[in-house]
Every structure is written in structure tokens, then in C-alpha cells.
Amino acid sequence: MSGQGPTAEQTDGRGRLSSIDPRVFYPSAIIIVAFVVFATVFRDTAQDWVGAIQENVVSGVGWYYTALVSLFVIFAIWVGVGRYGDIKLGRDDDKPEFGLGSWLAMLFAAGMGIGLVFWGVAEPLTHYDTPRPGVGESSAERSEAALVQTFLHWGVHPWAIYVVVGLSVAYAVHRKGRPVSIRWALEPIFGDKIKGAWGSAIDVVAVVGTVFGVATSLGLGVLQISAGLEFKGWAEDPGNGLLVALIVVITLLAGISVVTGVGRGIKWLSNINMGMALALLLFVLIAGPTLFIMNGFVQDVGGYLQSLLSLSFDTGANQGSEGTEWLNGWTVFYWGWWISWAPFVGIFIARISRGRTVREFVCGVLLVPTVLTFFWFSVFGGAAIHREMFGEGGLVDEGAETSVNRDSALFQLLDTLPGGAFVAGLAMLLIVLFFVTSSDSGSYVVDMLASGGDPDPPTWSRVFWAAAEGAVAIALLVASGAGTAALDTLQTTAILIALPFSLVMIGMCVATIKSFNQERRAYLAAQRKEQDERLVGQAVAAFEENLDNGTYADSGLSSDGEAGPGDGSTKLTKS
């Protein structure tokens, strides 16, 4: 049976929810503050240390990330289409807490909405200009390979990572009535031991990874906004003052939203995001090369499906060091990045998925966002590639250190379309709202973890974590001239956290299978018991009917227990 409310460990002596879990809150805060100080004051040393670790980890375990994430895809599909699909994430009579549209909007906005705006033009264009080793040299081959490679990085693989975490947590929270926390997803394996130090350590890793990830996104996001302002001539040489102001505004909006809770602020923002994103998408589709985009979408989806298996397990070994370096810099980097975001996104989509069946959960999380993502990249990436192939070009600067400017690529494309200035303003607003949604969703998840799994954590701590994320972004962006180097260090650190958390995810898969097997065995036992009771009931009813009719076929006895005359059949006389 699903349950709500705190366990005994969550309440203080007065029976009220404790505002924080000190075993998670304080270690997380200390680690975050210590790292920020280290990354800003000793930024060169920090960058060298983290860079060396990253190089060794990626070069040594790239094959591990590649195989593991592909296995997560297999696991997610197997659970969704298999015999466990009808299990309800909640009580058997629970209805979904949110409507389908709002549910999809929230999980999409939290999962990767801002990434689509940031990379929608930049990544396909980069793969077109500098393709993966082994891709043909013709523009047609590079064009298709660019979209297919982008689909791989943003398709079923990242969403399968979110399914693993989200499904495991949702089952523990909504079906078993546990607090909203990563540790309880592993209870089927560790039992009561998960209440101790190991469970707290798991939640601390989730908190630190989430704060680092959101802070990095805030920092990189305001760099994109400032690049857009500079590109459009709305701001000359934007400095740290503008960046800090943008972060403060986004953090303030996120704080207001997170205070109102999931059912109001986050839900409304997600729906607004989806509406604005759809408007921007339709504008580029209609104002851009519509026929080329639609043809490319169908063709590139086919190319993705055709090469999905080989690309999923490709480590670049056949292309030598050049191939492995490219894969490590892109695909393996993405797998680590998605895993580092899995605690945040997984817990959030688990929180909003009460009342869904396992099959609905997997289909909603795995398939619907993937299709929307593919179409998004086909529209924005396709429009940019078409301009480079058949138009005036100008989006790729071969003489620059980085041929595609990821910060301004979107605005460069919009500038080539009618009404570019107005649409660029709309795009900046969309970026801000997506970042607000990511920030308030991240703050809400971190607060639940740091509050002992309370699904409705205190207001003060929600504001605290929203402010902490903004403060970390500001500190790393401007303190001591650290700039983007410190943000890159933070981003790399968040990815390194993915390595130990990947082991937690393996445990989640095992725990989920174990829980589902137990539930199925209990269901089958109950079904057999019900069937036996039904058969007994039918037999009793038949016996009583025969008594009412005054006959008892094939008994061979009279009412006094003696054999009857003739053929041995018996008529009973009711007393």
C-alpha cells in the first residue's frame, strides 16, 4: 500500500517534521562551500587537478559509460513493455496527480529544456563542421551524420538514465510510502542499513551533484544571454556586473516559484515554457527552409533507428586515438553529464508521477520527450545546416579557435530570419524562464533530500537552496577573475560525481527488479487465493442449490444414509 507522510526518522520529539536532516544538510553545505573557495581562490590548481582526474577517468572508463548507458536503455524498454507495466506508482485506486500535458511539460522542462535552447543550433552545426572520425566528407553525409549523432546524445539514452532513477524512487515513494530520497530506492537490497551512514552519503552525493549542475547551468546560461545581448547590439561588451544581475534576477524568480510549490509555480512556469518553445519552434519551421527540415526530420530519424545499435556501443576504437578522443569529448562527456543530473531529474519526475502505471511512466519519460527533442534539433539544426549547405553561410567561422560559437549560434541563426530582433528577445526570455524552471526544480529536489525526504519541505530551506545555487554560480563566474574556467571545473566535477553514482544506479536497477518480482509474486499468490475462494464458493453454492432442489446426484445414499432402490441413485429428503 502506498503511504503519505513522514516516517519516525523524519519527526522530532514534538511530532512535527524536522526542518532539515543534519546528516545530509551540513555535509552537503560544507562540501559545496569548501569547493567554491578552492575553485575560486586556487582556481589554477583546482583546474589542473580536476582536469587530470577527468582525463584519466574518461580515458579509462569510457567503455564503461558507453556500455552502461546502453544497458540502461535496454532495462527501461524491458520494464516498460514487460509484465511489470501494469504496476501502479501509488495506491491501486490513485489517479494521476497532474494532467498529461502539465506532467509532460514539467518533466521536459526539468529534464533538458534549457539544453535544447542552448545546443539546438550549436551542436548539429558543430558536428557538421567537424564530424565524428569515419564520417564521409560530402556535405550530404556530414549533414545526416550531424543530426543522427545529436539524436544519440539527446534521445532515448539520457531519458533512459532518468527512467532508472525516477522509476526506482517513484516506486519507493508512492507505492511503498517512503520519504522522497535516493536512499530508499535501495532499501530492497540493503534493508534497514540504508537508514545509516551509507544512506546519508548517497543523499549527500545527490545534493552536491544537483547544486553543482544547476549552478553550472546558471553560469553558462547567463553567458549565452549576454552573448545574445551583445550580438544584437543591446549591450556593449557586457561585463561581470550584467552577469551578476542576470543571475540575481533568475535566482529571485526561482525563489518565488519554488516557494509556491510544484502544483503552482513550477507547473505554471513549465506550461509557459512549453508554449513559448512551441511558438519559437513553429516560427523557425515556417520562416526557415520548411521542406528541407521536414524531409530531413524523416530521413534523420530513419538514420538514427538504423544505426542506433552500432552507435550505442561505439567507443571509437576502430578510428584509433582520434576516434576515442572524439567520443570521449562528446558522447562519453554527455553520458557522464546526464548521470550527474539523474538524481535531480529522477527525483523530480518521480515526485510528479504519482498515480501513473509503470508503462505510462516509461512511455511518457522515454518516448514522448525523445520525439519532441528530435523534431527540435531537426528544425533548428536543420535550418542552420541548410544555410551552410545551400545559403549564404556565415554561421561557421573557420578562422576562429572554435568554429561554432555555442553562446551566440542561436541568435546568429535567428538574425537571418524575418523579425529577428523580436524573436531574439523572445528566445532570451525563453532561456531565462527555462533556467528559472531548472533552478526552482533543482532547489525543490535538493530541499527534499536535505529535509529527510519531506515532500513538502519548509519554505525557508527552499529559498536557502535557490539562493545557494545562485551564489555558487556568481562566485565561480566572477570571483578572483575565475570566469568560465571555474565553471568548466565545476562542470567537470559534476561529471566526475557521475562515476560513483553510476554504481548507485546499477543498484537501483537490481532493487527495482527485486521489488517488482516480489510484487508480482504477491499478486499471483493473491490471484490464486482469490481463484481458490471463488471455486470453493461455486462448489458451496452448487451444493446448496442441490439441497434446495431436494436431490444430491451420484451420492448413492438416501436421506437416512442407506442405499436407495434401483440403479443406486438417491433422493434426499430434507429434514
Side-chain angles (χ1 to χ4, degrees):
M1 177 181 290
S2 170
Q4 284 294 318
T7 62
E9 290 78 15
Q10 291 176 269
T11 57
D12 57 23
R14 295 164 295 182
R16 295 181 301 181
L17 281 174
S18 175
S19 59
I20 60 172
D21 180 351
R23 299 170 299 177
V24 176
F25 184 95
Y26 292 117
S28 301
I30 291 171
I31 291 172
I32 291 169
V33 171
F35 185 87
V36 169
V37 171
F38 178 60
T40 53
V41 178
F42 307 101
R43 60 185 183 277
D44 294 334
T45 303
Q47 189 177 4
D48 292 341
W49 284 12
V50 173
I53 296 173
Q54 167 73 355
E55 182 180 355
N56 293 330
V57 168
V58 170
S59 62
V61 299
W63 61 269
Y64 167 73
Y65 275 158
T66 300
L68 184 64
V69 174
S70 298
L71 292 177
F72 286 157
V73 174
I74 297 172
F75 171 82
I77 295 174
W78 173 69
V79 170
V81 303
R83 58 188 179 181
Y84 304 124
D86 293 330
I87 294 176
K88 179 71 72 71
L89 300 176
R91 296 182 178 92
D92 291 337
D93 58 349
D94 277 348
K95 301 297 182 183
E97 184 177 0
F98 299 98
L100 183 61
S102 295
W103 180 61
L104 291 173
M106 283 191 287
L107 70 89
F108 189 75
M112 57 180 59
I114 185 57
L116 298 183
V117 179
F118 190 86
W119 288 107
V121 175
E123 182 168 345
L125 200 58
T126 300
H127 294 328
Y128 172 78
D129 181 57
T130 54
R132 175 172 54 88
V135 173
E137 297 183 358
S138 71
S139 59
E141 291 175 306
R142 290 188 289 124
S143 173
E144 181 174 350
L147 268 302
V148 170
Q149 191 69 45
T150 304
F151 289 174
L152 178 73
H153 296 159
W154 294 81
V156 295
H157 289 74
W159 287 104
I161 292 172
Y162 297 156
V163 165
V164 169
V165 178
L167 182 61
S168 183
V169 173
Y171 182 84
V173 172
H174 301 312
R175 189 70 173 175
K176 295 298 184 181
R178 300 295 188 259
V180 184
S181 177
I182 292 288
R183 71 173 74 188
W184 294 105
L186 300 176
E187 186 184 16
I189 299 176
F190 297 104
D192 289 341
K193 294 180 180 178
I194 207 64
K195 300 176 183 178
W198 281 106
S200 298
I202 291 171
D203 285 341
V204 168
V205 169
V207 169
V208 173
T210 299
V211 172
F212 282 4
V214 174
T216 305
S217 294
L218 280 172
L220 296 178
V222 297
L223 289 175
Q224 185 185 28
I225 295 173
S226 65
L229 293 173
E230 184 178 19
F231 179 80
K232 297 301 299 182
W234 297 339
E236 277 189 36
D237 192 19
N240 287 339
L242 177 61
L243 300 178
V244 171
L246 289 171
I247 293 178
V248 170
V249 170
I250 292 174
T251 302
L252 180 63
L253 294 175
I256 296 173
S257 176
V258 77
V259 166
T260 61
V262 178
R264 299 179 64 185
I266 298 176
K267 174 184 173 181
W268 294 344
L269 273 177
S270 298
N271 289 335
I272 293 172
N273 285 340
M274 289 300 293
M276 293 182 63
L278 180 61
L280 184 63
L281 180 76
L282 292 176
F283 168 78
V284 176
L285 175 64
I286 295 172
T290 307
L291 186 60
F292 177 84
I293 290 172
M294 297 306 299
N295 285 334
F297 171 67
V298 174
Q299 177 176 306
D300 295 335
V301 169
Y304 169 78
L305 295 175
Q306 183 180 12
S307 55
L308 177 60
L309 193 59
S310 61
L311 285 178
S312 297
F313 292 92
D314 183 13
T315 62
N318 292 334
Q319 302 298 326
S321 60
E322 184 182 3
T324 55
E325 287 177 5
W326 193 96
L327 263 294
N328 288 340
W330 279 100
T331 306
V332 177
F333 175 87
Y334 265 125
W335 296 166
W337 184 240
W338 297 132
I339 292 174
S340 73
W341 274 73
F344 154 42
V345 181
I347 291 176
F348 182 76
I349 62 177
R351 168 62 182 84
I352 64 176
S353 298
R354 180 181 180 87
R356 303 283 173 186
T357 65
V358 170
R359 186 168 291 111
E360 288 175 329
F361 182 91
V362 173
C363 289
V365 176
L366 191 65
L367 298 181
V368 176
T370 296
V371 174
L372 294 175
T373 298
F374 286 179
F375 192 63
W376 180 277
F377 277 108
S378 294
V379 171
F380 287 88
I385 291 174
H386 179 273
R387 182 173 179 84
E388 291 298 315
M389 291 177 64
F390 307 110
E392 299 177 5
L395 302 180
V396 175
D397 186 359
E398 299 293 349
E401 181 179 352
T402 303
S403 59
V404 177
N405 188 327
R406 64 183 184 181
D407 293 337
S408 62
L410 171 65
F411 302 105
Q412 288 177 287
L413 173 66
L414 295 178
D415 195 53
T416 66
L417 302 175
F422 172 77
V423 180
L426 177 65
M428 290 182 196
L429 179 60
L430 179 61
I431 293 170
V432 170
L433 291 180
F434 264 130
F435 274 118
V436 171
T437 306
S438 294
S439 180
D440 61 9
S441 301
S443 303
Y444 184 73
V445 167
V446 167
D447 199 15
M448 286 190 292
L449 291 173
S451 300
D454 181 7
D456 187 22
T459 300
W460 75 264
S461 54
R462 300 186 199 186
V463 175
F464 169 81
W465 287 111
E469 291 161 356
V472 171
I474 291 174
L476 293 177
L477 193 63
V478 302
S480 302
T484 58
L487 285 174
D488 292 341
T489 300
L490 182 60
Q491 185 179 39
T492 302
T493 303
I495 295 170
L496 292 176
I497 292 175
L499 186 58
F501 192 75
S502 68
L503 302 178
V504 175
M505 292 184 64
I506 294 174
M508 286 181 163
C509 292
V510 175
T512 300
I513 295 173
K514 186 175 181 179
S515 296
F516 285 0
N517 277 332
Q518 290 174 346
E519 174 139 347
R520 180 166 177 79
R521 285 197 299 269
Y523 170 76
L524 293 176
Q527 196 176 45
R528 286 193 296 268
K529 182 179 179 180
E530 182 182 356
Q531 186 177 14
D532 292 342
E533 290 175 349
R534 186 169 60 250
L535 291 174
V536 171
Q538 291 174 347
V540 171
F543 180 75
E544 291 177 345
E545 183 179 359
N546 285 336
L547 287 179
D548 289 339
N549 292 336
T551 62
Y552 190 76
D554 298 328
S555 68
L557 298 175
S558 64
S559 61
D560 58 3
E562 297 179 353
D567 59 1
S569 64
T570 303
K571 289 187 177 181
L572 299 179
T573 302
K574 295 177 62 178
S575 59

